[in-house]
Amino acid sequence: MRLLLLMLGTLVSTVSLATTSAEYLPADADLDTSIPSPESQLGWEPGDWRIHHSSLVQYMYTLAEKSDRVSIKVTGYTYEQRPLLQVIISSEENQSKLEALRQAHLNGAETGNLEAPLVVWLGYSVHGDEASGSNAVPIVAWYLAASRSASVKELLKNTIVILDPSLNPDGLDRFSSWSNSNQSLTPVGDRNGRIHNQDWPPGRTNHYLFDLNRDWLPLVHPESRARITEYHRWLPHVLTDHHETGHDGYFFQPGVPTRQHPLTTAENLEMTRELAKYHARTLDGAGVMYFTEDTYDDFYYGKGSTYPDINGSIGILFEQPRVNGQVYNRVSGPLTFPEAIHNHVRTSLSTLKGAFELRDEFKKYQAEFFKTTQQRANKAGFAAWVIGDDNDPSRALELMDVFQRHRVEYHALGSEISADGQVFKPGHAWIIPVKQRQFGLAQAMMETRTKFEDNTFYDVSAWSLPMAYNLPYATLSRMPTTTDNSPSITTSAPDAKAVAWIIGWQQLQTPSVLQDLLDEGARVRVATKPFSMDGETFSEGSLVLLAGIQDEGKSDAIVDILQRAASKGVKTHSYKTHLTESGPGLGTPHFKIVPAIKPLLIVGEGVRSYAAGEAWYQLDQRLGVSPVMVEVPRLNKTNLNDYTHLLLVDGTYKAIKKGLNKRIATWVSDGGIIVATQGAATWTESLCFEADTCDEKQDKNDTDKDQTETMAYADFDDQKAQRTIGGAIVSVKVDTTHPIAFGYNDEMPLFRRGSTLLQTSKNPFATPVHYTEKPLMSGYIGEQRLTEMSNQPAVIAERHGKGLIVRFANNPLFRGFWRGTERLWVNSLYFGTLVSSTELP
């Protein structure tokens, strides 16, 4: 047995591509042997395997136990209950007075005190399957904890180093399990190999399949909320964001200079360039191919490398060529996983070296940033923004919570004002003053723009948060009276002896209350026409519960649900009569029963995982609906009659063959409801119903027989940009009488991403939402795309037999923060059965 183990050890060593941790580090590291190395704790050398989050956490705690330079704070937990660590490494003396140093640093950010400590934040692998970052962390942390070199001692004496070992623990573990379980003894570099092509969903995203590197601004998820709290507690001078890329060369910022957001200062670009020189020298010395000021941008402030730029820090993006296995055959030659790890170690250390040597410049820059921000505020040309609640305090408070987490100052409006043709009332509006420390970030969250120096965007080109929440807002030339009273929602408990309870549908939390009631077996009716009672007007979509039609013993349970809802700010009106002042009486057929729902969400290959995650999150976290998710192969074996809805998000759906296609069409004709967005909406247009001719529909592109216009080869990128809608805000008209649009006003902003155009309906009553004539409100959309969209349908709800297909040209659940349009999708779930046949005689 001993001989066998020796032989196996020899075999493994011959194919291992990894090296010891010490070999990743500078020659003068002078490592303290009493501090355990990563391999001594992991049982394998870095690069042999992908590290799991639990092992990463355990090693960080080992370092904290063995080294007085290391301390750890748990800042929160992921959905899968993995801890989010903040690892702080500094000198032993500094560790004993961290809070005092933090305060000194924050004061220095205002005063420019050069004696305050330098703060550098190193963040890794926000995309879980870009794992070389988190696998570099044990080596970087060990070096800082164990090195006795003069340079490290001097660094830690004057610097607080904050390590975020894994920004996305759930995704990291999903990918680590995939990669490790597909790893061979003999490394596979062939790019067609299974190890290089993950199953659906990949490890890039968090538990609910969201891209956390787009969530720094919206703050939908616990990982982001925990991180942003600590970011503002420490306000680092430099923050790094270590990724992987499909390109062959290593990238470090700056990105394309013309694609930097206009609110980011020119000084930020110059400081980034100064730090880039250190990365270049390090990578040149190692013979690593790299590039900078190309491909990537610094525009959307919801990314980890861009958010710091509007908050007084310098954000740096690193992109290491991806290696999913032990080796990957790039076009420019094989790349091993240890080499990928080594590159992130190199740039982590070059960041620390550059930031330390330029520390006075970084401290001056940060102080000057806030002074410049105040100067910009003084020249803004207006005094404040006002945001109304659209008669939905919960939605407005959700937005105020986002402002608060970003340290943006706001106050409750103290007296009624008018602005931009709108009236804002006390108790229903909030004021964001211009003269505040966070003016730059507030402006980035509020502004709209449609003109850009460069029309190419790595991500979205617009994200105005009041528009995302569909809340009225305006700028004010003078600061109005305000109150410091914390905004709150006061609701009275429902009357247990009432004969009718009514809940307005426009409230953000009402759909989850409806689901609770349906789960309880309550009979809930919905108004299809407006009505009023005791001076209160109720619009279409209002929910009505009549005590007299409930099953025996249900009334108490219903009151309990309504009381819990009231404690969360949902307003319920209690009445002792069915009589109304105007509009139909509560007992008339104009109030329809809302049936219980059991939706089926299609996931898997061909389905865009981001969009599937957004639907999953909406069902699970916001509605409390059991999310039944199946992949297409399983769908072939599923009895569709067990479900009320098929939820199809953006994707191709090529896996649905003719037989299943026919089954789905029959299911719809028999009463099923399909809710389809973007690519799925296009797919549903190919469904064949018995009443159709079922002939192949002519491809839209086939109708254009004109000769193709000749263009210069060099103009390709610009022409592509003009045809790409990376993300912009457009205006739409809403038919508020249509069940899919219950709870809305007659016009609102909508997020447009992608170029999906819906086939228009022959039914004039089937389009509850359509684009305005000139729809662009904020962001970039090329003229051709704008012309295509003008007055075209954005949502179509069409009857087929007894069933319904609701088609969305856009994703109403975009990234979980477009709260203003999510109700369109929710209405499709609960009110789809209300859409009647509208064939004219």
Side-chain angles (χ1 to χ4, degrees), residues 655-716:
I656 296 181
K657 303 303 181 184
K658 188 174 181 179
L660 180 55
N661 188 307
K662 186 176 180 179
R663 281 182 56 214
I664 291 173
T666 300
W667 172 81
V668 171
S669 296
D670 290 342
I673 297 174
I674 291 179
V675 183
T677 59
Q678 294 179 287
T682 301
W683 175 82
T684 62
E685 292 167 356
S686 68
L687 282 173
C688 179
F689 294 92
E690 225 174 295
D692 296 336
T693 62
C694 295
D695 291 335
E696 288 292 327
K697 298 176 182 178
Q698 186 179 26
D699 192 305
K700 298 174 187 177
N701 296 324
D702 288 346
T703 61
D704 185 4
K705 301 299 183 182
D706 295 337
Q707 186 175 356
T708 302
E709 179 187 355
T710 300
M711 297 182 183
Y713 180 80
D715 291 340
F716 171 77

Side-chain angles (χ1 to χ4, degrees), residues 63-64 66-71 88-92 95 142-149 152-153 156:
L63 288 181
K66 299 296 183 181
S67 173
D68 294 329
R69 297 177 180 177
V70 183
S71 62
I88 295 181
I89 305 179
S90 193
S91 68
E92 179 181 354
Q95 287 286 357
W142 180 53
Y143 173 65
L144 295 175
S147 176
R148 293 174 295 201
S149 71
V152 170
K153 288 181 178 180
L156 298 183

Side-chain angles (χ1 to χ4, degrees), residues 182-204:
N182 284 284
Q183 184 165 307
S184 301
L185 182 63
T186 306
V188 177
D190 190 315
R191 63 183 61 199
N192 293 314
R194 177 174 167 81
I195 197 168
H196 299 297
N197 298 278
Q198 300 172 65
D199 278 349
W200 193 101
R204 177 183 178 88

Side-chain angles (χ1 to χ4, degrees), residues 13 40 89 106 194 222 426 481 838:
S13 68
S40 71
I89 305 179
L106 294 178
R194 177 174 167 81
T481 58
T838 50

Side-chain angles (χ1 to χ4, degrees), residues 237-249:
H237 295 98
V238 177
L239 182 146
T240 67
D241 193 17
H242 292 256
H243 288 251
E244 290 180 3
T245 177
H247 298 290
D248 271 13

Side-chain angles (χ1 to χ4, degrees), residues 451-464:
K451 301 296 182 183
F452 306 91
E453 181 180 357
D454 192 320
N455 293 330
T456 300
F457 300 90
Y458 190 77
D459 197 68
V460 298
S461 61
W463 55 84
S464 172

Side-chain angles (χ1 to χ4, degrees), residues 764-779:
F765 306 103
T767 305
V769 184
H770 68 270
Y771 304 113
T772 58
E773 183 178 359
K774 296 180 178 179
L776 184 61
M777 300 179 75
S778 184

